[in-house]
Amino acid sequence: MFVLKRVAFSLGQVLVVLWVVTLLAFFLMEAVPGDTIDLLAPPGATDDEIRAISQSLGLDRGVLVRYFDWLGDALSFDFGRSISTKQLVSEAVIDRYPVSLEIAAGALAISLLIAVPLGVYCGYRPGGLVDRVVGVVTSAAIAIPTFLLGPVLLYIFAVQLQVLPLTGYQPWSAGAGEHLRFMVLPIMTLAAGETVLLLRVLRADMVATLREDFVVSARTRGLSTARILFGHALRPSSFSMITVLGVSMGRMIGGSVVVESIFRLPGLGQLAITSISSRDFQMVQAVILIAGVTFVLVNGLVNASYALLDPRLRSSS
Amino acid sequence: MKKMLVALSGASLALALAACGGSDGSSGDNSGNSGGEPQQGGTLTLVTNTDINTWDPATKCGAGESGYMSCEAVFGSLLRADPETGEYAGYMAESLESEDGKAWTLTMREGVKFSDETPYDAEAVVYNWDRIADPATASAALTSLRGTTWKAADDLTVDITLPSVNWLFPELVTTHLAFIGSPTAMDEKGDDFFTQPVGAGPFLLDDWVQGTSSTLVRSETYWDSPRPYLDSITTRIIPEDELRADALRTGEADIDIHFLDQIYEELKAEGYDALDSQFVGGSGMIINAGEAPTDDPAVRQALAKALGSESIVRALYPGASVAETLIDPAYGIEGLEPSYGEDLEGAQQLIDDYLDRTGKSSVNITLNVGTHSAIIKQLGEFAQANLSRLDNVNVELELLDYAALSAKLAQNDFQVSPYAVYGKHPDILHDLYHSKGARNFSGYSNPEVDAALDLTHSSNDPAVVAKAYSDAANVLTLDAAYIPYRQTNVYAQYNGRVNGLVRGGSTQAVRSDLLWVED
């Protein structure tokens, strides 16, 4: 019964958050300067002509009527058509979502692959040579923003060395190798900042965990260093990192907008930029909603993972 | 008789086409042609800065100059202006003729079909032009068609009647009214047509990811065989000028469309040839003449004298030429008054006189500047600094994204804004500065300018038309209706495998059907 109540409460929270996301998605676009009709109507158009354009786009209805119509349709994944390209918004989102997801998931995987072993080792040997070198490198890396790192990597690998393509995209259907050639730099660019953050958080927690009694006890029992580090110390040291991971996903959704713009990748971020420029509110609303839902779901998964990692949470339930 | 009149109507365009030449004003080999026989097959990649908005023929695909080529590749174009002679000639249509400049006859070619095998005929033209005239389509040509009527006289003939004599009507048919989509496909597909267009042009749209890339493949049903020569053309969108140049250098692109003289010189030194042409009015500042204080010519003249075009060009556009006249000298129009040079003392005097005359204590100017381009933003800051040198003039910089700025311009809700008088035909002046111009969003109105620009439509004597453009430009210059600061070139810079590069005539766009590659 307690579990059901907890699940219902969490679900209720998620629904409220999603509803707030729909409000923001819809009314933010209403608030930005630059009216859609002003953009579309040819200079010198008469009032009647402007009214006809407005009617054809359904913009002559009240804002609340439009919001509830949009919300109703959005529940069945019908976001209408782009006022700019006339493409079905749901189609555009479905086409581009996998690209953004791949960049974010790839960046996350790379970040974890680098951050976990290095964070564990630096926590094991704080102040050692590796820890100091990593400290210097991560300090430098965290100081370079994504919008600068992307062009720098492009210059080195695409312009100077010419081992990777400059910009653009090839789908998986063009071959895995060809696809990955286009994805390497965007993923590395997005992963850089997150790797540093995860590494530092994990290192700090690792240092503290390795001073705990149960670790000293494990040492006295003669367990190997690797087993102590990865079998006993890593799990309790991961809570802060996992919390940061949830936040990281949000940052990556934002970061993907920048990365997709730099590398001209056909993802949701690039779609959002293009659509904002043309006040294509149908498209922007859908992108914000989908990004919001993704963020909420990922954070739900992060919350669920706490229970898996910490037996105390399971027993309290 | 009829054909002669068409040729005459195109004669004034010859002025515009004189602008095709080397960036130094020379007329070198600009065809990008090795002189060999065109080879069939192969693919080509072009990089440019902006994409098509939608594949709607009624809105010219919502494309700027750089997207025009793709739109024309899919839909063809009813007419074209010959890049050598400037005369309008039939392309997808056979001819457009008139005896009086008011009643026109558009004659279609026999046997031309859309890629869905339906006829490209008079009914198709009427269907498409009806869409343009429907306000719901939101076509930029809507206002240009006011008072014009058209009907299909038979399968191959469209009779058109204009509200007044306009010998430059072929210019409209070469640009805003040029693209015709399959009516059958539009009826069947509805809004899906605009992402799956069906035209009768040399290429078919194979794939399009808006803002990223598009791929066009050869149409097997194109009427003008053996053209097109290429199997496919891929257009990639890279907004950054330097990155596009790098794409050409690394071999990822074959043609780079750009607007910067410095990049042109760099690439030229590295062995990349270019096809280039000039914007008729270059880049400058458009001023709201409908609202105070810039409705007063003295204030506009003061701004022109204090803007500091030379320092702007030197700092922001190395290698570019300062715009000395409102119409680019390459157009060969004689008798043009020079634009205001820097004269801070004279500018201050005009402001002081204005303040005395109106009893005001200061002049407040807002520069409405887009943030979509880093260089335009810098230009805004530069202009703010230069204009702020004037006493009792407060200059505010309002930074806006592209959509907000476009909306402000369209609604005459701006004061001074960077603007390029793009296009290749001086008829753009009629659009922008005639009091009834289709795109007169600056609110400028001057009977002298109206009379001169009316003459550019009502006369088919090239000498009279040239003089009329000169007269209109001179009044606009003295009135400081527009402050040009830079001559602007459009470059199509290409590598050694590209051949058959030819401008379309009325636009800066490259003709897709003539391109071929040598591998």
Side-chain angles (χ1 to χ4, degrees):
Chain A
M1 194 61 190
F2 177 79
V3 173
L4 276 179
K5 270 186 182 172
R6 187 173 169 145
V7 168
F9 180 72
S10 298
L11 204 62
Q13 272 186 320
V14 166
L15 288 176
V16 170
V17 170
L18 288 178
W19 178 63
V20 172
V21 169
T22 67
L23 287 173
L24 287 172
F26 191 88
F27 289 101
L28 271 179
M29 280 308 286
E30 291 290 324
V32 293
D35 190 74
T36 308
I37 295 298
D38 291 347
L39 275 174
L40 290 176
T46 62
D47 289 346
D48 284 345
E49 288 165 346
I50 290 171
R51 210 170 297 121
I53 296 169
S54 189
Q55 273 172 358
S56 72
L57 296 170
L59 296 175
D60 55 327
R61 297 169 300 153
V63 67
L64 281 178
V65 174
R66 281 190 284 126
Y67 169 70
F68 284 110
D69 282 354
W70 173 78
L71 190 61
D73 291 340
L75 289 173
S76 55
F77 205 66
D78 174 7
F79 298 105
R81 280 188 186 267
S82 152
I83 57 158
S84 176
T85 63
K86 305 285 193 295
Q87 188 179 13
L88 278 173
V89 172
S90 53
E91 230 174 60
V93 168
I94 288 169
D95 283 350
R96 290 167 182 258
Y97 189 69
V99 178
S100 298
L101 199 64
E102 186 183 342
I103 298 168
L108 195 65
I110 296 284
S111 299
L112 287 172
L113 276 174
I114 298 170
V116 170
L118 269 182
V120 168
Y121 188 81
C122 291
Y124 171 59
R125 287 274 184 263
L129 180 65
V130 173
D131 187 36
R132 278 183 285 151
V133 170
V134 166
V136 171
V137 172
T138 54
S139 294
I142 210 162
I144 304 174
T146 306
F147 66 81
L148 189 62
L149 182 62
V152 167
L153 291 179
L154 270 181
Y155 181 73
I156 296 170
F157 292 101
V159 178
Q160 289 300 315
L161 301 176
Q162 297 192 13
V163 290
L164 290 169
L166 201 57
T167 59
Y169 176 75
Q170 285 290 344
W172 283 100
S173 58
E178 188 61 11
H179 172 76
L180 291 174
R181 280 184 70 233
F182 284 88
M183 298 302 272
V184 169
L185 288 182
I187 286 175
M188 296 306 286
T189 304
L190 193 58
E194 302 312 315
T195 305
V196 172
L197 200 64
L198 298 177
L199 193 155
R200 287 190 162 192
V201 168
L202 181 61
R203 178 199 171 278
D205 281 2
M206 201 72 188
V207 169
T209 305
L210 289 174
R211 289 182 189 140
E212 295 277 341
D213 291 345
F214 75 92
V215 174
V216 176
S217 161
R219 276 189 183 132
T220 56
R221 281 189 282 132
L223 295 180
S224 69
T225 303
R227 186 152 178 213
I228 292 170
L229 291 177
F230 290 98
H232 292 264
L234 178 58
R235 186 189 281 198
S237 303
S238 302
F239 298 129
S240 305
M241 186 181 74
I242 287 170
T243 304
V244 171
L245 263 183
V247 181
S248 279
M249 278 309 291
R251 286 155 48 92
M252 283 191 187
I253 290 169
S256 70
V257 174
V258 178
V259 167
E260 288 169 16
S261 288
I262 294 170
F263 295 94
R264 305 312 292 174
L265 290 171
L268 283 183
Q270 198 260 344
L271 180 65
I273 294 281
T274 312
S275 306
I276 288 168
S277 296
S278 54
R279 293 295 182 271
D280 194 346
F281 57 88
Q282 304 273 54
M283 201 67 95
V284 179
Q285 286 159 354
V287 171
I288 294 176
L289 188 62
I290 297 298
V293 168
T294 304
F295 185 67
V296 168
L297 288 178
V298 168
N299 272 277
L301 286 174
V302 168
N303 287 337
S305 70
Y306 288 139
L308 291 174
L309 288 167
D310 190 346
R312 289 170 299 180
L313 287 177
R314 284 202 296 270
S315 59
S316 72
S317 303
Chain B
M1 178 63 179
K2 278 185 174 182
K3 285 194 186 300
M4 184 188 74
L5 290 172
V6 175
L8 285 172
S9 73
S12 59
L13 180 66
L15 301 163
L17 297 172
C20 250
S23 66
D24 54 358
S26 67
S27 62
D29 176 12
N30 233 350
S31 65
N33 204 323
S34 69
E37 277 298 303
Q39 291 176 12
Q40 204 78 39
T43 63
L44 181 146
T45 301
L46 177 144
V47 285
T48 185
N49 64 342
T50 51
D51 199 7
I52 271 171
N53 280 343
T54 174
W55 295 86
D56 184 350
T59 62
K60 284 200 302 174
C61 303
E65 288 294 321
S66 48
Y68 198 93
M69 182 185 114
S70 300
C71 203
E72 191 187 60
V74 169
F75 294 109
S77 170
L78 284 170
L79 300 182
R80 266 183 178 146
D82 187 303
E84 298 299 324
T85 65
E87 289 178 7
Y88 296 101
Y91 165 33
M92 300 295 289
E94 193 171 280
S95 64
L96 176 65
E97 300 171 337
S98 176
E99 290 184 5
D100 59 4
K102 194 172 174 189
W104 292 80
T105 304
L106 180 70
T107 306
M108 307 300 287
R109 290 182 193 278
E110 207 168 337
V112 177
K113 288 186 174 172
F114 291 105
S115 59
D116 62 359
E117 299 288 333
T118 57
Y120 183 91
D121 59 7
E123 285 296 345
V125 172
V126 168
Y127 181 99
N128 279 265
W129 288 6
D130 284 350
R131 279 195 69 241
I132 291 174
D134 179 356
T137 308
S139 168
L142 169 69
T143 45
S144 305
L145 279 181
R146 277 200 194 123
T148 301
T149 58
W150 52 89
K151 65 170 195 272
D154 58 47
D155 286 353
L156 298 178
T157 310
V158 183
D159 287 337
I160 305 149
T161 307
L162 308 185
S164 57
V165 174
N166 181 6
W167 287 105
L168 280 178
F169 181 63
E171 174 63 16
L172 197 61
V173 181
T174 314
T175 52
H176 286 288
L177 307 181
F179 301 137
I180 304 298
S182 160
T184 308
M186 282 195 218
D187 287 341
E188 281 174 4
K189 290 171 182 261
D191 282 344
D192 284 339
F193 179 92
F194 307 117
T195 49
Q196 303 157 20
V198 177
F203 289 89
L204 310 174
L205 178 63
D206 183 51
D207 181 51
W208 180 46
V209 183
Q210 210 240 343
T212 301
S213 66
S214 61
T215 302
L216 307 176
V217 295
R218 187 176 196 277
S219 170
E220 298 302 331
T221 58
Y222 183 54
W223 67 277
D224 196 16
S225 181
R227 297 164 182 167
Y229 303 116
L230 291 169
D231 287 337
S232 71
I233 300 175
T234 296
T235 300
R236 284 174 52 196
I237 310 302
I238 304 179
E240 299 80 9
D241 298 302
E242 286 293 347
L243 268 187
R244 284 203 307 282
D246 285 338
L248 187 64
R249 290 184 177 109
T250 58
E252 286 185 37
D254 298 298
I255 303 176
D256 170 20
I257 308 291
H258 68 90
F259 306 89
L260 291 180
D261 304 87
Q262 192 175 16
I263 286 180
Y264 164 74
E265 293 294 346
E266 285 171 10
L267 289 174
K268 190 180 168 193
E270 294 166 35
Y272 297 97
D273 287 333
L275 180 72
D276 69 313
S277 64
Q278 285 74 34
F279 279 175
V280 62
S283 302
M285 294 286 187
I286 194 159
I287 303 178
N288 190 338
E291 283 186 16
T294 44
D295 59 341
D296 192 305
V299 174
R300 297 198 299 267
Q301 287 158 2
L303 297 181
K305 289 181 176 189
L307 183 68
S309 302
E310 280 191 28
S311 59
I312 285 175
V313 169
R314 217 170 28 244
L316 301 179
Y317 303 97
S321 302
V322 173
E324 304 285 354
T325 51
L326 193 143
I327 296 177
D328 196 291
Y331 282 72
I333 294 178
E334 293 176 350
L336 289 173
E337 288 284 337
S339 302
Y340 289 107
E342 184 159 314
D343 174 11
L344 214 50
E345 208 172 302
Q348 190 62 62
Q349 187 62 54
L350 285 164
I351 291 294
D352 292 345
D353 291 348
Y354 170 79
L355 294 176
D356 284 345
R357 187 160 32 93
T358 57
K360 292 178 179 168
S361 58
S362 63
V363 173
N364 297 320
I365 299 292
T366 302
L367 290 170
N368 312 93
V369 175
T371 53
H372 53 283
S373 154
I375 202 163
I376 293 294
K377 198 176 153 201
Q378 288 172 358
L379 167 72
E381 289 160 355
F382 219 98
Q384 183 187 29
N386 280 357
L387 296 176
S388 295
R389 294 177 298 176
L390 294 171
D391 293 336
N392 302 317
V393 173
N394 307 313
V395 185
E396 188 195 332
L397 189 62
E398 186 185 30
L399 296 174
L400 300 155
D401 78 343
Y402 180 74
L405 179 63
S406 301
K408 271 187 175 274
L409 288 173
Q411 297 306 308
N412 188 238
D413 181 24
F414 72 101
Q415 200 157 47
V416 180
S417 184
Y419 189 83
V421 180
Y422 62 85
K424 207 172 167 191
H425 197 290
D427 194 38
I428 185 88
L429 293 181
H430 192 284
D431 271 10
L432 288 173
Y433 287 108
H434 192 287
S435 58
K436 291 179 184 166
R439 282 185 287 165
N440 182 349
F441 46 72
S442 70
Y444 183 84
S445 174
N446 185 323
E448 259 189 282
V449 172
D450 282 358
L453 292 175
D454 281 341
L455 202 52
T456 64
H457 281 194
S458 62
S459 171
N460 60 1
D461 179 341
V464 172
V465 171
K467 172 78 168 48
Y469 277 128
S470 173
D471 291 345
N474 288 342
V475 177
L476 290 168
T477 299
L478 293 174
D479 242 2
Y482 174 76
I483 312 174
Y485 59 81
R486 177 174 72 105
Q487 290 175 16
T488 305
N489 299 309
V490 186
Y491 297 103
Q493 211 142 6
Y494 54 96
N495 62 23
R497 66 191 288 269
V498 180
N499 287 276
L501 226 70
V502 175
R503 292 280 180 208
S506 284
T507 74
Q508 271 87 1
V510 171
R511 281 183 61 171
S512 60
D513 58 333
L514 297 182
L515 285 170
W516 58 279
V517 289
E518 215 168 8
D519 285 318

